[in-house]
Amino acid sequence: MRKLLEGLGGLLVLQGLAGILHWATGWFHYWALVRYAGFLHGYEIYANAVLVVLGVTLVVAADSGARGLRRAPDR
């Protein structure tokens, strides 16, 4: 489960960064999938920023959850 969350978080971060770079420079035309969502028209930069934050949150949560499971109880 940890690897799945880390992979999904990494994918979200990459999509968000690609969308931001596409918005700023015009590069990564086919990587930025948010631009294909019609209901986000005009809000692409915000949606990409949310993807980056959500991806980082998933990676951190997966890492902190794995650390909590490795600790042995002191009894």
Side-chain angles (χ1 to χ4, degrees):
M1 185 69 169
R2 182 181 131 221
K3 292 290 184 184
L4 177 68
L5 287 177
E6 286 178 350
L8 183 62
L11 183 65
L12 289 176
V13 169
L14 285 175
Q15 280 296 310
L17 289 176
I20 290 171
L21 284 174
H22 174 68
W23 175 78
T25 64
W27 295 351
F28 300 105
H29 182 72
Y30 296 108
W31 281 26
L33 297 178
V34 169
R35 68 185 187 87
Y36 293 114
F39 64 92
L40 291 174
H41 183 70
Y43 298 101
E44 291 94 354
I45 189 68
Y46 303 113
N48 287 314
V50 167
L51 282 180
V52 171
V53 170
L54 184 62
V56 169
T57 304
L58 277 177
V59 171
V60 169
D63 187 45
S64 68
R67 285 187 195 161
L69 293 175
R70 283 187 248 153
R71 293 182 186 148
D74 295 329
R75 292 184 188 176

